[in-house]
C-alpha cells in the first residue's frame, strides 16, 4: 500500500503526479508536507524533510481545510460610505478607489499620511515588494509590520551582540548534541510540537533541559529543571546565573579574552545579583539558581534559546542581551554544539524582517539611514537615493498616530489582523475607525478586514509560489499545489496593480520568480545575502541557509564558528541592569497577566478558527488561574471570569491549573470579540526595539457578574 495515498493499486508516479511537496502555512518551523489532490479534494500527507522529519502538528495536518473554506473571500468588496455595508466590486473599481484615496491623502497631508502595515507570514517576495511599494510607489516612511510584535527585540539584541540577526545560528540537527539547553520563555511543545523530537533526542543522549517559564507548560514538564520565574524578571534571572557562574569559577577566560569585548562592565554589574536578591526578584529559589548555573556552567556544550516569554516586554532587548552575556561568559557561543539562539514564531518571521517591510530597513538587512545602503538599493530600484524616505514609525506608533495631525490618514494592511494582535487593541480599533480610509488584503474577512473601506481577496499559501525563511535561516520554497478560486489575485499582483495606477507601470513585477530575482540582487552584499539562492537550489538542497553570496557558495548553516559578524569579529557584552516591568501588580490590579498561544491555534486565529478540527480542539479562549486564586474568588472550573486592566476588560472561561504561579493569570491571544485579551495588554514599548509589553501587566480578576468589592482578597503568592 502506498504510504502517501493509502491506495493499493496506484503507481508511485501516479501518486507523485498528484502530490506537491511544500510547507505548512503556519509557524516558523515551516514543516515539510505533501499536498495530495484527489478528485478536486486536497489533503495533507507526511513528507520527509530535514526539519520536521515527517512530523506535523494538528494545525499542519488540518491545513488543507483552509483551501475549501466556505468563508473564503473571492470578490473585492468596498463600502461607499462608512454607514453602509461592504458590497461586491470589480477589481478595477477596488484598486481604483485605493489609488484615488491614497493620492488624495498624500496631496492633502503629505506623503507620510499613507501607511503600510505588513505581516510576518508574507513570503520573502511579498515582504520585499511591499517595502518597495511603500518607498517607491508611495514614498512614505510609514511602513512597518506585525513582526515588530514578535521578533524585534531578539533581532535588536542579536545585532547589538553578534552584529547580525539570524534567529538560530545553527541548524536544528545540532540541538541533540548539546549537553545542556536553557530554554527561556518558550513553550515549543505546544507551539511547534515537531521540534520536540530534537529536545527529546538530546535528553535520550543524556542531556539536560532547563526551562524558565512562569507556567509549568508541557515543555517545562519535559525538562530536567523548571525555573518558574515571576513574569518580567528574566534579566534578573540571567544576571543571577552569571553571578553564580562567576563566583564558582565557571567562566571561560580564554573565550572572553579572544572572542569578545566589554566583559568588564558586565562583571561589575552582575556582582550585585547575589542569589538571595535574585530569588526575591525572580521568585526562583536559590537552590534552583545554583543547580541551573552549575548545569550550564559545567557542561562541555550548552545552548541558550529564548522566545517570546522573554522577548515581548518593555525591557526585552535587555532580557535577551543578559542571556547572551551568560552564553558568552561561559564560552558557549561560536563553537560546535553551543550557541545562543532565538526561536522565531511567525511563518516567515525571519525572512519577513530581512527584506524591507520594517520601517528602518532596506532589503538584505540594509539600513535605511546608511547612505551607501540607500544608494545601492536606489540603483536596484532605478530611483534617486534622495527620493527614498527615511525611517518612519514602528508598528504600534504607526497605528497609534492615526487621526493625529501628523499621523497616518489612509492605511493598507496586508497579511495582518491588528484588531486582535496589537496591544491595547480597543484603542487601536478606535484609531482604525479614525482613518479616512482603510484597505485590507486578506483571504478571509478578518476582524480587521471587517472595518475596511476596501477589502481585496488574495491567494493563500498553496495557491501561490514563493520563498519562506524558517527559524534556522533556511530559505524554503512554498509551491503552488492548487489553482486559486476565480476572482482572487496574489498580493504581488495587488501591489503591481496599485503601483501601476500610482504611475509606476514597469517597476513592479508580479511573478514570484521575477520578484525573487530582484530580491537576490537587492540583498547582494547585505547582511542577509540571498544572491546565491535560486528556486532550483532550494528544491535540490532541501533549502539554502543565508548568507549565500553566490551560486557556487554552499550557504551558511552554522555561523560565528570563526568570527562574529561585528567589524572586529568579536561578540559584544552589554552591561544590563534588571528593571521591573512598566506595570506591576498593586492594590487595584493585584496580579500579573501574561499572554501566549495554544497548540490548536495560530496568531490571531483568522485561519485556525475557521478549521473545524482546531475549533473543536480549542473552541474558545480561557483564563488559566491557580486553584488557590480561584478559591479566593469563588471561581470554579469553566465559570466565566472578567479580567480587567487599566486598558480594558475581557470575559472568558476559567481554567484551573496548579501549573501556573498563584500570582499570575495566563490567557491566549487567538480570539476576538469579548475574549480578546489584547484589549488588556500594555503598549509600553521597549526603547530600542519598540516591542510592546505583551507578556506582563497588572490585572484584576472577578467571577463574571460578581461585584468589584469581592475582587481583591489577600492571596499568598509564590512560585510553586
Ligand atoms: S504549525 Fe508549525 S509545527 Fe505545526 S505543522 Fe505547521 S509548521 Fe509544523
Amino acid at each position: 500500500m502506498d504510504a502517501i495515498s493509502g491506495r493499493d493499486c496506484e503507481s508511485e508516479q501516479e501518486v507523485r503526479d498528484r502530490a506537491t511537496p511544500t510547507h505548512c502555512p503556519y509557524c516558523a518551523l515551516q514543516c515539510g508536507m505533501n499536498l495530495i489532490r484527489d478528485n478536486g479534494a486536497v489533503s495533507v500527507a507526511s513528507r520527509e524533510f530535514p526539519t520536521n522529519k515527517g512530523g506535523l502538528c494538528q494545525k499542519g495536518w488540518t491545513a488543507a481545510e483552509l483551501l475549501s473554506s466556505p468563508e473564503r473571500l473571492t470578490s473585492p468588496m468596498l463600502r461607499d460610505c462608512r454607514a453602509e455595508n461592504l458590497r461586491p466590486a470589480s477589481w478595477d473599481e477596488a484598486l481604483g478607489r485605493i489609488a484615488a484615496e491614497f493620492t488624495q491623502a498624500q496631496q492633502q497631508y503629505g506623503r507620510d499620511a499613507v501607511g503600510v502595515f505588513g505581516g510576518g507570514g508574507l513570503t520573502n517576495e511579498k515582504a520585499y515588494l511591499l517595502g518597495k511599494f511603500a518607498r517607491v510607489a508611495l514614498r512614505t516612511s510609514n511602513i512597518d509590520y506585525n513582526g515588530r510584535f514578535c521578533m524585534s527585540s531578539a533581532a535588536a539584541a542579536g545585532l547589538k551582540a553578534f552584529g547580525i540577526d539570524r534567529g538560530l545560528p545553527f541548524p536544528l540537527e545540532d540541538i541533540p548534541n548539546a549537553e545542556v539547553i536553557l530554554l527561556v520563555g518558550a513553550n515549543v511543545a505546544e507551539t511547534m510540537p515537531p521540534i520536540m523530537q530534537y529536545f527529546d533526542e538530546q535528553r535520550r543522549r543524556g542531556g539536560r533541559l532547563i526551562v524558565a517559564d512562569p507556567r509549568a507548560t508541557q515543555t517545562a514538564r519535559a525538562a530536567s529543571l523548571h525555573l518558574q520565574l515571576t513574569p518580567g524578571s528574566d534579566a534578573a534571572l540571567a544576571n543571577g546565573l552569571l553571578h553564580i557562574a562567576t563566583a564558582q569559577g565557571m567562566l571561560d577566560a580564554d573565550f572572553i579574552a579572544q572572542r569578545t569585548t566589554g566583559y568588564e562592565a558586565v562583571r561589575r554589574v552582575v556582582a550585585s545579583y547575589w542569589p538571595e536578591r535574585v530569588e526575591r526578584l525572580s521568585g526562583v529559589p536559590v537552590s534552583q539558581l545554583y543547580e541551573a548555573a552549575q548545569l550550564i556552567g559545567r557542561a562541555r556544550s550548552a545552548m541558550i534559546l529564548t522566545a517570546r516569554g522573554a522577548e515581548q516586554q518593555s525591557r526585552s532587548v535587555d532580557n535577551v542581551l543578559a542571556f547572551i552575556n551568560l552564553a558568552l561568559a561561559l564560552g558557549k557561543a561560536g563553537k560546535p554544539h553551543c550557541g545562543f539562539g532565538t526561536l522565531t514564531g511567525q511563518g516567515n518571521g525571519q525572512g519577513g524582517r530581512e527584506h524591507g517591510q520594517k520601517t528602518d530597513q532596506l532589503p538584505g538587512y540594509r539600513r535605511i539611514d546608511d547612505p551607501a545602503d540607500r544608494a545601492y538599493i536606489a540603483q536596484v530600484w532605478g530611483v534617486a537615493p534622495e527620493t527614498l524616505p527615511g525611517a518612519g514609525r514602528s508598528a504600534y506608533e504607526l497605528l497609534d498616530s492615526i487621526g493625529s495631525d501628523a499621523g497616518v490618514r489612509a492605511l493598507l494592511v496586508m497579511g495582518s489582523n491588528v484588531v486582535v494582535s496589537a496591544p491595547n487593541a480597543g484603542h487601536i480599533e478606535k484609531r482604525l475607525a479614525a482613518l479616512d480610509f482603510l484597505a485590507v488584503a486578506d483571504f478571509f474577512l478578518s476582524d480587521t478586514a471587517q472595518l475596511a473601506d476596501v477589502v481585496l481577496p488574495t491567494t493563500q499559501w498553496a495557491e501561490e509560489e514563493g520563498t519562506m525563511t524558517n527559524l534556522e535561516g533556511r530559505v524554503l520554497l512554498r509551491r503552488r499545489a492548487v489553482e486559486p478560486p476565480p476572482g482572487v489575485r496574489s498580493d504581488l499582483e495587488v501591489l503591481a496593480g496599485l503601483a501601476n495606477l500610482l504611475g509606476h507601470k514597469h517597476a513592479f513585477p508580479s511573478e514570484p520568480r521575477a520578484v525573487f530575482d530582484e530580491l537576490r540582487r537587492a540583498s547582494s552584499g547585505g547582511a542577509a545575502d540571498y544572491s546565491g539562492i535560486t528556486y532550483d537550489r532550494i528544491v535540490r538542497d532541501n533549502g539554502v541557509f543565508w548568507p549565500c553570496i553566490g551560486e557556487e557558495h554552499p550557504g551558511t548553516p552554522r555561523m560565528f564558528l570563526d568570527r562574529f559578524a561585528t567589524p572586529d569579529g568579536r561578540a559584544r557584552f552589554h552591561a544590563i541592569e534588571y528593571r521591573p516591568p512598566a506595570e506591576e501588580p498593586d492594590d487595584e490590579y493585584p496580579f500579573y497577566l501574561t499572554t501566549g498561544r495554544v497548540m490548536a491555534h495560530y496568531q490571531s486565529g483568522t485561519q485556525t478558527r475557521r478549521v473545524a478540527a482546531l475549533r473543536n480542539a480549542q473552541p474558545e479562549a480561557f483564563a488559566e488561574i491557580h486553584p488557590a486564586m480561584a478559591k479566593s474568588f469563588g471561581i470554579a472550573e469553566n465559570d466565566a471570569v472578567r479580567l480587567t486592566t487599566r486598558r480594558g476588560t475581557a470575559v472568558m472561561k476559567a481554567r484551573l491549573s496548579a501549573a501556573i504561579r498563584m500570582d499570575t493569570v495566563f490567557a491566549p491571544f487567538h480570539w476576538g470579540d469579548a475574549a480578546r485579551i489584547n484589549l488588556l495588554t500594555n503598549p509600553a514599548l521597549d526603547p530600542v526595539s519598540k516591542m510592546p509589553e505583551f507578556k506582563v501587566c497588572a490585572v484584576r480578576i472577578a467571577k463574571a457578574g460578581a461585584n468589584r468589592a469581592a475582587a481583591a482578597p489577600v492571596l499568598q503568592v509564590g512560585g510553586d
Side-chain angles (χ1 to χ4, degrees):
M1 184 179 284
D2 186 88
I4 293 177
S5 71
R7 295 176 179 185
D8 285 322
C9 308
E10 196 168 21
S11 75
E12 202 173 309
Q13 189 55 48
E14 285 172 316
V15 175
R16 303 230 176 286
D17 288 346
R18 296 188 295 105
T20 303
T22 187
H23 296 271
C24 174
Y26 302 117
C27 83
L29 195 52
Q30 283 296 293
C31 295
M33 61 168 57
N34 278 304
L35 284 179
I36 312 294
R37 296 173 302 282
D38 198 353
N39 288 329
V42 182
S43 58
V44 171
S46 171
R47 173 187 171 204
E48 270 304 316
F49 193 76
T51 49
N52 57 309
K53 300 180 182 173
L56 295 169
C57 74
Q58 191 183 15
K59 296 190 286 290
W61 284 117
T62 57
E65 195 175 321
L66 295 170
L67 300 168
S68 56
S69 170
E71 294 182 67
R72 184 67 189 280
L73 297 176
T74 55
S75 166
M77 292 188 293
L78 60 77
R79 63 180 98 233
D80 296 304
C81 67
R82 284 280 161 86
E84 292 187 9
N85 291 330
L86 288 164
R87 63 164 173 83
S90 70
W91 274 97
D92 282 350
E93 188 183 13
L95 292 180
R97 170 88 178 276
I98 296 171
E101 295 278 1
F102 283 2
T103 302
Q104 186 183 333
Q106 291 193 316
Q107 283 173 349
Q108 199 168 348
Y109 301 106
R111 292 199 173 276
D112 287 347
V114 176
V116 175
F117 201 98
L122 299 178
T123 62
N124 291 319
E125 291 80 354
K126 295 178 186 182
Y128 169 81
L129 207 66
L130 191 66
K132 180 178 173 181
F133 175 76
R135 273 72 177 237
V136 174
L138 293 172
R139 291 179 59 189
T140 176
S141 70
N142 278 322
I143 172 169
D144 214 52
Y145 79 126
N146 65 16
R148 181 74 64 178
F149 300 155
C150 187
M151 291 304 300
S152 58
S153 286
L159 284 168
K160 275 172 162 276
F162 304 127
I164 200 165
D165 158 34
R166 199 180 89 182
L168 292 181
F170 45 74
L172 292 174
E173 68 185 62
D174 286 4
I175 287 176
N177 295 318
E179 256 181 45
V180 172
I181 297 174
L182 170 59
L183 205 48
V184 186
N187 183 14
V188 287
E190 282 213 54
T191 55
M192 45 179 71
I195 205 176
M196 282 306 284
Q197 56 193 308
Y198 295 95
F199 295 100
D200 293 343
E201 177 61 21
Q202 184 249 357
R203 281 172 296 128
R204 261 196 301 277
R205 294 183 190 180
R208 305 292 292 273
L209 176 65
I210 306 167
V211 171
D213 198 302
R215 302 164 65 217
T217 61
Q218 276 192 36
T219 315
R221 291 200 290 275
S224 323
L225 177 62
H226 174 208
L227 311 176
Q228 196 162 19
L229 77 172
T230 308
S233 66
D234 304 74
L237 174 64
N239 282 357
L241 295 177
L242 184 48
H243 176 104
I244 293 171
T246 308
Q248 300 210 335
M250 293 188 281
L251 305 196
D252 186 336
D254 289 344
F255 183 88
I256 293 171
Q258 289 162 19
R259 299 206 54 194
T260 70
T261 57
Y263 168 68
E264 193 49 32
V266 172
R267 187 190 64 74
R268 283 196 296 273
V269 165
V270 301
S272 64
Y273 286 79
W274 53 91
E276 293 73 16
R277 178 184 174 212
V278 172
E279 178 180 288
R280 254 194 339 272
L281 294 173
S282 71
V284 178
V286 167
S287 60
Q288 291 188 352
L289 294 172
Y290 274 100
E291 190 181 349
Q294 285 167 355
L295 278 172
I296 308 168
R298 301 210 191 287
R300 281 191 305 273
S301 56
M303 293 175 176
I304 300 177
L305 307 175
T306 64
R308 303 306 83 68
E311 296 166 11
Q312 288 180 318
Q313 298 178 27
S314 64
R315 293 283 171 184
S316 42
V317 175
D318 282 358
N319 289 345
V320 179
L321 287 170
F323 281 105
I324 291 175
N325 287 343
L326 180 62
L328 293 176
L330 295 172
K332 300 293 192 291
K335 292 177 182 172
H337 314 143
C338 288
F340 173 86
T342 173
L343 296 163
T344 301
Q346 290 195 78
N348 198 28
Q350 179 72 57
R353 66 184 190 262
E354 297 164 359
H355 298 298
Q357 58 176 337
K358 221 170 164 181
T359 198
D360 48 359
Q361 262 180 23
L362 292 171
Y365 233 124
R366 287 186 156 88
R367 291 174 57 121
I368 206 161
D369 60 357
D370 181 300
D373 285 350
R374 292 171 63 87
Y376 180 82
I377 294 298
Q379 165 255 316
V380 173
W381 287 347
V383 299
E386 57 274 16
T387 66
L388 296 178
R393 296 175 172 93
S394 72
Y396 184 82
E397 293 169 315
L398 187 158
L399 298 171
D400 189 36
S401 79
I402 292 170
S404 66
D405 280 351
V408 166
R409 300 281 178 156
L411 181 67
L412 170 65
V413 177
M414 186 169 271
S416 190
N417 186 14
V418 292
V419 166
V420 174
S421 62
N424 197 13
H427 171 70
I428 293 305
E429 192 172 339
K430 284 188 198 134
R431 295 293 85 220
L432 292 176
L435 280 166
D436 294 343
F437 178 75
L438 173 63
V440 174
D442 211 323
F443 40 89
F444 291 124
L445 195 64
S446 69
D447 311 67
T448 306
Q450 288 171 34
L451 305 178
D453 300 291
V454 173
V455 179
L456 302 175
T458 53
T459 49
Q460 58 167 320
W461 159 61
E463 298 160 354
E464 59 188 15
E465 198 175 39
T467 59
M468 306 281 280
T469 306
N470 80 349
L471 76 177
E472 306 167 286
R474 186 195 302 253
V475 184
L476 309 165
L477 185 62
R478 171 184 280 188
R479 284 199 275 202
R480 181 170 171 153
V482 296
E483 288 293 314
V488 310
R489 292 187 185 176
S490 72
D491 291 310
L492 298 180
E493 289 169 332
V494 166
L495 294 172
L498 283 174
N500 185 11
L501 292 174
L502 292 166
H504 297 267
K505 196 162 186 175
H506 302 296
F508 286 79
S510 60
E511 279 302 312
R513 284 172 194 252
V515 177
F516 191 69
D517 281 343
E518 192 179 305
L519 180 161
R520 290 171 61 201
R521 285 200 305 282
S523 74
S524 180
D529 190 328
Y530 281 40
S531 60
I533 303 175
T534 65
Y535 281 20
D536 290 344
R537 274 193 76 180
I538 295 173
V539 172
R540 190 189 69 209
D541 299 340
N542 277 332
V544 182
F545 290 81
W546 70 262
C548 180
I549 61 175
E551 292 198 29
E552 304 308 314
H553 187 274
T556 314
R558 294 174 181 83
M559 307 179 87
F560 312 146
L561 293 179
D562 301 319
R563 69 190 312 277
F564 293 95
T566 53
D568 62 5
R570 291 166 175 258
R572 300 187 192 110
F573 280 99
H574 291 81
I576 301 299
E577 286 283 8
Y578 159 75
R579 295 187 208 291
E583 188 179 80
E584 291 197 286
D586 55 22
D587 288 348
E588 211 178 344
Y589 301 94
F591 304 111
Y592 291 102
L593 172 68
T594 192
T595 64
R597 297 139 219 262
V598 298
M599 188 184 290
H601 292 285
Y602 177 69
Q603 297 296 96
S604 71
T606 302
Q607 295 167 90
T608 51
R609 283 189 270 133
R610 289 177 163 87
V611 175
L614 302 178
R615 229 175 21 244
N616 293 339
Q618 186 59 60
E620 57 189 344
F622 60 88
E624 183 178 286
I625 56 176
H626 195 279
M629 185 194 288
K631 194 172 168 198
S632 303
F633 292 95
I635 295 168
E637 179 84 9
N638 284 329
D639 277 353
V641 292
R642 194 173 61 245
L643 304 177
T644 304
T645 69
R646 290 184 173 83
R647 292 153 294 281
T649 293
V651 177
M652 55 195 75
K653 284 188 178 163
R655 178 183 287 181
L656 274 48
S657 170
I660 191 161
R661 294 172 53 96
M662 284 192 276
D663 58 359
T664 303
V665 178
F666 166 83
F669 73 92
H670 310 292
W671 285 269
D673 301 327
R676 189 173 16 151
I677 199 63
N678 274 325
L679 291 168
L680 281 65
T681 47
N682 190 351
L685 303 182
D686 183 286
V688 176
S689 67
K690 309 294 182 184
M691 168 70 80
E693 190 138 72
F694 290 101
K695 288 297 180 192
V696 48
C697 66
V699 68
R700 72 169 178 257
I701 184 168
K703 195 167 166 174
N707 67 35
R708 213 194 120 188
V714 176
L715 244 190
Q716 194 179 0
V717 298
D720 54 10

